[in-house]
């Protein structure tokens, strides 16, 4: 018999299952340990000494420390995670709005067209001036390039 055949007899399917189960539990334990450590640092309501105490407990006696932390502060862990996710979502939405409008202090082309239309309806500009301004707004040039403050690729 070859070495592979002996391995098949020495390592049956149930042993493979138990090995996979222990590996999964070990990985799950590490994920939980690191989530608890991250939550210890994330919690603003705890002082420095409390954070140091929880961290020392989780490092010195990891199973007991994590178990006690999850029992004592588990509900707060979820609330802090949800609050962080909401803050990240708000920051992302704010970034998208700021980027879509062209940045802070800049108006979008829709805003510029609305202002032009209002000026035309008041009679401040003629139809020809409105068409020229509308063409500039709808062209690929931004407001800074239209005013001439930024040189173009041709050096003008």
């Amino acid at each position: 018999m070859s070495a592979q055949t002996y391995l098949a007899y020495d390592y049956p399917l149930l042993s493979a299952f138990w090995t996979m189960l222990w590996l999964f539990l070990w990985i799950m334990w590490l994920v939980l340990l690191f989530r608890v450590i991250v939550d210890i640092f994330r919690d603003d309501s705890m002082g420095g000494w409390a954070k140091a105490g929880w961290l020392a407990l989780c490092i010195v006696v990891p199973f007991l420390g994590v178990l006690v932390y999850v029992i004592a502060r588990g509900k707060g862990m979820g609330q802090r995670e949800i609050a962080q996710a909401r803050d990240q979502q708000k920051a992302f939405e704010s970034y998208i709005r700021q980027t879509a409008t062209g940045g802070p202090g800049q108006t979008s082309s829709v805003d510029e067209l609305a202002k032009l239309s209002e000026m035309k309806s008041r009679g401040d500009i003629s139809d020809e001036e409105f068409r020229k301004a509308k063409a500039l707004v709808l062209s690929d040039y931004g407001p800074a390039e239209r005013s001439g403050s930024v040189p173009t690729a041709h050096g003008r």
Side-chain angles (χ1 to χ4, degrees):
M1 290 187 149
S2 67
Q4 290 177 348
T5 306
Y6 288 127
L7 182 61
Y9 287 119
D10 292 340
Y11 202 70
L13 185 61
L14 187 60
S15 293
F17 170 75
W18 281 112
T19 301
M20 289 188 319
L21 180 68
W22 282 111
L23 182 66
F24 172 75
L25 290 174
W26 183 72
I27 291 172
M28 191 173 70
W29 159 248
L30 285 177
V31 168
L32 181 62
L33 176 67
F34 286 116
R35 286 197 59 171
V36 165
I37 290 173
V38 165
D39 188 67
I40 289 170
F41 286 108
R42 180 187 297 156
D43 190 3
D44 292 333
S45 66
M46 279 197 295
W49 286 107
K51 288 181 183 187
W54 278 112
L55 191 61
L57 184 65
C58 287
I59 290 174
V60 173
V61 189
F63 289 109
L64 182 65
V66 168
L67 181 66
V68 170
Y69 188 85
V70 169
I71 291 171
R73 303 183 55 85
K75 186 175 182 180
M77 281 178 69
Q79 292 170 346
R80 284 184 289 279
E81 183 108 12
I82 289 170
Q84 182 190 18
R86 284 185 184 146
D87 291 344
Q88 286 178 343
Q89 183 68 27
K90 286 179 186 174
F92 178 71
E93 289 171 358
S94 172
Y95 171 75
I96 293 296
R97 271 191 231 101
Q98 180 181 358
T99 304
T101 60
Q106 294 182 351
T107 59
S108 68
S109 57
V110 174
D111 294 335
E112 290 184 28
L113 287 174
K115 289 178 186 175
L116 283 173
S117 177
E118 184 181 327
M119 290 172 66
K120 180 183 170 207
S121 65
R122 284 193 317 240
D124 293 342
I125 58 174
S126 67
D127 288 340
E128 182 63 30
E129 291 171 328
F130 175 76
R131 281 194 294 274
K132 286 180 182 178
K134 180 180 170 184
L136 279 175
V137 168
L138 296 177
S139 69
D140 290 336
Y141 299 108
E145 293 169 340
R146 274 183 269 147
S147 65
S149 63
V150 177
T152 61
H154 303 293
R156 289 185 255 164

